[in-house]
Amino acid sequence: MRAKRCARVGARLILLLIVTATALLAPPPPLFAADAPPADATVPAIGRTWPVGLRPAVLRGWEPPATVYGPGHRGVDLAATPGTPVRAVTAGRVSFAGRVAGKGVVSVELTGTGDPPLRTTYEPVTASVEEGEEVEPGEVIGTVDPGGSHCAAPCVHWGLRRDESYLNPLSLLPPWLLHRGPSRLLPLA
């Protein structure tokens, strides 16, 4: 009787180890729709934080225009209520902090991203930094403005450019930031 009980406990432990290993080694589920544009291979995944929140909802994704002046969405819209802190995604230098067409905008040239460097933009934002200031990953660069958003719900528009070319800003984020939270082990019984 005792031998059977030990065998069952051993079998359960082995099963638990197999299930745990499978869960840890399985690829995480995608955060975005399967038809979303892929990450840009020319953009290094150097981001260390989302611009707002921990994993904000993407209200509208990046939709590259077919031509330079064609229609599209040259960034991503992230859900964020007015007053939410806006953070630098990675290290850089503030290249602009002011108003454009009535909206608060902060632009940051990203350190070590080539020539011309990558540049992120955030709007509508009330800046707490000034042009020329160096920023670190996660440093607050402003807060979401109460007005000026082009979204139906409150949001911040996050963009990425290299020179005159618009790129997918989500490409800056490594997989561990893009995917949902950690795996959770549940009891077998």
Side-chain angles (χ1 to χ4, degrees), residues 86 88 93-98 105-108 122 125-136 139-143:
V86 178
R93 184 184 58 79
V94 177
S95 57
F96 180 82
V105 177
V106 175
S107 293
V108 178
Y122 312 86
V125 174
T126 299
S128 60
V129 291
E130 296 180 1
E131 189 172 324
E133 197 172 321
E134 297 289 328
V135 294
E136 294 298 318
E139 184 175 335
V140 174
I141 58 174
T143 57

Side-chain angles (χ1 to χ4, degrees), residues 2 9 13 24 29 50 52 54 62-63 65 68-69 78 80 92 96-97 129-130 140-141 144-145 150 160-161 182:
R2 186 175 174 106
V9 170
L13 285 174
L24 291 174
W50 283 89
V52 291
L54 295 177
W62 183 67
E63 300 164 13
V68 175
Y69 299 106
L78 305 173
F96 180 82
V129 291
E130 296 180 1
V140 174
I141 58 174
V144 177
D145 278 346
H150 63 261
L160 177 66
R161 291 174 66 172

